[in-house]
Amino acid sequence: MVREIDSRSEAYVGEVVALDPLTATELGIPGHDHELPDLSPDGFAAREEVARRALADVHALKPVDEREALAQAAFTERLGVLVESIDAGLERCELSVIDGAAHWIRGAFDLMPTATSEDWENLTARMTATPRALDQYRTTLAEEAAAGRVVARRQYVEHAHQLRDWAGSYFTNLVAEAPAEVKTRAEQAAATASAAYADLGDWIDAELTPLGRERDGVGREHYALASRYFLGTAVDLEQTYAWGWEELARIEDDGAVTAQRIVPGGTLDDAVKLLDADPHRNLTSREAFQEWMQTLSDRIVREFDGVHFDIPEPIRTLACTVAPINDGGAWYTPPSEDFSRPGTMWFSFTDDQTTFSTWRETTTVFHEGVPGHHLQCGQAVHQAELLNRWQRLMCWVSGHGEGWALYAERLMDDLGFFADAGDRLGFLDMQGFRAARVIVDIGVHLGLTIPPNPWNWRVGETWDADRVLEFMLLHSRSEEGQVRHEVNRYLGWPGQAPSYKVGERIWLEARDAARAREGGAFDLKAFHTEALNHGAVPLDLLFRSTL
């Protein structure tokens, strides 16, 4: 039986990595680590044409069974919304504090192996190629700006600051352990890459910042497309905005009750002060924090395997590390196809952060690790008999992935892993943070007004960047520097932040539908296994994949 949809989807993976070596590195596909993509307008056009051609080809094919039909539906939805974004003029000009070609290049170095001389030759070659790639990218950004396709001024300012920050020490630190036979060339390549990043940052400040939009919000048309890209479905934005307010109030009411377990008769702020003063809950070095999260992650993998999930042997290893940048935030990178590179949980802290709270971040370890992203992504990579290569390695839907990770945090609460009141308050604080993001992201990008709310906060006013920051600081117990970085992220990456809570909402609906359909025969472990075995799918297809 010829599975043409699977074959064409897998061919697309090869076409992409041939034109985009950074994607090859991200996916763990060998043979391209010494290269960089063509970031000129012609390079972007070539990659866009590959997507258009693959979309048309897969759309025209006939699936041989339901599994291939689901693969076709996911492929055409993902590439369809990508082509819509290209046609809308959004792909080449987009950059922010978390995205853009300069981010792609720097991030690839984090994933490159350094165990052998060949690895160091690849790393040195890629650093040597960096100035040319960034010059090509500058040409593309200039062409886009000349056509009136720009981002908000704030994003140019913050992006330029990041580039100059990375130019200061990132590449120098990267080659500090280079072996003697390549040390001199690696240091020279690091110096040229650093200078190229600094030059691009200066150019963005001088040339693009004055052209950037004064307003941060992108407007309804752009936002609706971005929301579909991140969710894989269209949602009623006003209804979702209203639901965000309700969800935040529900979570904070739960937080107030949990705080009473920590400081009877006290407030939520009293509980936070007590937790922050507890030396057993606050580590004083990044090294100690890395050891703590690795120990916790390893314990959960052991306790979950064979009980709540059947975890395949190749994904029982999860690396936990502190990232070599100081932007704040946490993220996960999946294992390589052959599992020679393990899945990795990354934590990044701001420059001024000197203490590292375990009570705040226990829930994040579950989110990024097991049962969150690592279980989800590792399971997909492992399913070579069920999923084609595009499904296993390239298909990503933020609403599905981040929704699952947030669902996983709630699952840990259901299973009793937040019996400690401090850890549970951290879980609720992050849940509330994600609910608040639904409100501010939709509110600022659509230019909505603030409705009557339980806190009687700025009722009737219109959202802007200052109100977003004020609101997020009011509804979070994270470090201020981290919150500021997060807010800049929402302003420059419209539609992504709500995908966590909206995705979780749809995961819960899918589980409830399965429970109602199966009645007493419903098995939670079987539901999770079946859902994750389908890999990432657009949320439009989630119910179909769990039937």
Side-chain angles (χ1 to χ4, degrees):
M1 181 170 56
V2 178
R3 307 186 70 88
E4 292 184 306
I5 290 169
D6 284 343
S7 296
R8 184 63 183 90
S9 300
E10 294 193 348
Y12 173 69
V13 176
E15 293 168 352
V16 169
V17 299
L19 292 175
D20 185 0
L22 296 174
T23 295
T25 298
E26 180 183 355
L27 302 181
I29 297 175
H32 300 275
D33 282 352
H34 61 295
E35 302 170 327
L36 286 175
D38 180 353
L39 296 175
S40 72
D42 287 344
F44 275 90
R47 291 186 292 275
E48 291 161 3
E49 178 57 27
V50 163
R52 292 182 193 278
R53 191 167 57 244
L55 174 61
D57 289 349
V58 172
H59 182 76
L61 296 172
K62 184 176 181 179
V64 298
D65 54 23
E66 177 57 26
R67 183 181 74 74
E68 203 178 39
L70 184 62
Q72 181 187 45
F75 189 93
T76 55
E77 190 282 334
R78 287 290 80 194
L79 267 70
V81 74
L82 171 62
V83 169
E84 282 189 66
S85 298
I86 293 168
D87 290 342
L90 301 178
E91 287 299 302
R92 301 187 192 185
C93 70
E94 287 293 292
L95 62 77
S96 67
V97 298
I98 202 164
D99 196 21
H103 276 262
W104 310 338
I105 294 172
R106 193 217 55 76
F109 285 107
D110 291 344
L111 303 178
M112 292 178 67
T114 57
T116 68
S117 295
E118 182 183 359
D119 293 337
W120 279 101
E121 292 290 350
N122 288 335
L123 194 145
T124 300
R126 182 167 274 178
M127 284 190 297
T128 301
T130 294
R132 180 170 183 269
L134 292 183
D135 279 344
Q136 293 170 337
Y137 187 43
R138 182 185 306 195
T139 299
T140 298
L141 292 176
E143 183 175 289
E144 292 298 292
R149 293 186 288 270
V150 295
V151 300
R153 184 174 303 166
R154 179 190 310 273
Q155 297 304 319
Y156 288 132
V157 170
E158 296 296 333
H159 194 82
H161 173 77
Q162 285 180 314
L163 302 189
R164 288 191 291 262
D165 182 57
W166 298 340
S169 61
Y170 175 80
F171 292 99
T172 301
N173 293 339
L174 185 65
V175 301
E177 302 301 321
E181 63 269 22
V182 74
K183 184 80 167 180
T184 299
R185 287 186 291 114
E187 289 176 342
Q188 291 171 344
T192 61
S194 295
Y197 266 81
D199 287 346
L200 181 60
D202 290 343
W203 178 82
I204 288 173
D205 250 352
E207 301 296 331
L208 297 186
T209 297
L211 302 177
R213 297 191 319 268
E214 188 66 37
R215 68 185 187 285
D216 291 288
V218 298
R220 181 174 294 273
E221 184 177 359
H222 180 165
Y223 191 84
L225 177 57
S227 178
R228 279 200 294 116
Y229 173 80
F230 286 114
L231 293 175
T233 191
V235 297
D236 183 322
L237 295 174
E238 273 76 13
Q239 188 279 332
T240 305
Y241 177 69
W243 170 78
W245 287 98
E246 296 169 2
E247 182 70 354
L248 179 59
R250 179 193 68 80
I251 293 166
E252 293 201 344
D253 286 347
D254 193 351
V257 172
T258 301
Q260 291 293 310
R261 293 169 51 196
I262 300 168
V263 182
T267 65
L268 181 61
D269 287 339
D270 292 333
V272 170
K273 287 180 182 178
L274 185 66
L275 294 171
D276 280 343
D278 184 349
H280 298 294
R281 297 178 184 271
N282 292 277
L283 304 175
T284 56
S285 74
R286 300 183 180 203
E287 293 76 15
F289 184 86
Q290 180 169 308
E291 181 180 357
W292 167 80
M293 63 176 172
Q294 186 71 66
T295 300
L296 175 58
S297 174
D298 291 346
R299 176 172 70 83
I300 296 301
V301 171
R302 290 194 304 270
E303 292 182 9
F304 265 53
D305 186 28
V307 180
H308 302 294
F309 298 90
D310 292 323
I311 304 177
E313 191 278 332
I315 61 174
R316 291 175 198 159
T317 299
L318 170 63
C320 302
T321 188
V322 173
I325 57 173
N326 298 312
D327 291 340
W331 64 93
Y332 171 81
T333 53
S336 58
E337 188 173 21
D338 63 359
F339 292 96
S340 61
R341 184 189 75 203
T344 304
M345 180 193 313
W346 304 82
F347 269 77
S348 173
F349 300 102
T350 54
D351 284 324
D352 57 353
Q353 192 166 346
T354 57
T355 59
F356 310 92
S357 300
T358 59
W359 71 269
R360 284 184 172 90
E361 303 298 355
T362 295
T363 195
T364 310
V365 173
F366 301 151
H367 179 108
E368 305 294 347
V370 171
H373 287 319
H374 180 61
L375 183 62
Q376 173 192 38
C377 298
Q379 185 88 345
V381 173
H382 189 255
Q383 292 300 322
E385 294 184 4
L386 291 177
L387 305 175
N388 66 50
R389 201 181 192 199
W390 176 81
Q391 290 174 292
R392 288 185 289 115
L393 301 183
M394 284 191 70
C395 183
W396 177 252
V397 185
S398 184
H400 183 280
E402 300 298 354
W404 166 263
L406 216 57
Y407 169 89
E409 293 183 59
R410 186 179 291 206
L411 177 66
M412 294 300 275
D413 190 37
D414 294 341
L415 295 175
F417 281 83
F418 290 119
D420 178 88
D423 289 345
R424 189 166 194 275
L425 194 63
F427 154 70
L428 291 170
D429 185 51
M430 291 307 298
Q431 282 273 326
F433 198 63
R434 271 63 175 264
R437 296 187 332 190
V438 174
I439 297 167
V440 301
D441 200 74
I442 297 175
V444 73
H445 288 294
L446 267 59
L448 301 179
T449 57
I450 298 166
N453 58 79
W455 308 277
N456 197 32
W457 181 82
R458 296 193 176 277
V459 176
E461 298 184 20
T462 301
W463 285 104
D464 63 12
D466 290 338
R467 288 167 178 79
V468 170
L469 178 61
E470 180 184 339
F471 189 78
M472 295 307 296
L473 288 171
L474 284 172
H475 294 280
S476 170
R477 275 75 197 170
S478 298
E479 298 283 341
E480 182 173 340
Q482 183 177 349
V483 175
R484 287 182 179 275
H485 174 76
E486 285 282 314
V487 166
N488 286 334
R489 166 188 159 192
Y490 315 150
L491 297 173
W493 216 18
Q496 197 271 346
S499 66
Y500 294 64
K501 284 298 289 183
V502 175
E504 177 200 39
R505 185 185 189 185
I506 295 176
W507 268 104
L508 290 168
E509 290 172 354
R511 185 186 67 183
D512 292 345
R515 181 179 280 118
R517 183 173 60 250
E518 298 174 22
F522 176 76
D523 183 280
L524 184 61
K525 180 180 175 183
F527 167 80
H528 291 150
T529 299
E530 178 70 11
L532 293 183
N533 280 349
H534 285 90
V537 296
L539 289 177
D540 261 349
L541 303 177
L542 182 57
F543 284 89
R544 177 173 167 182
S545 71
T546 56
L547 291 178

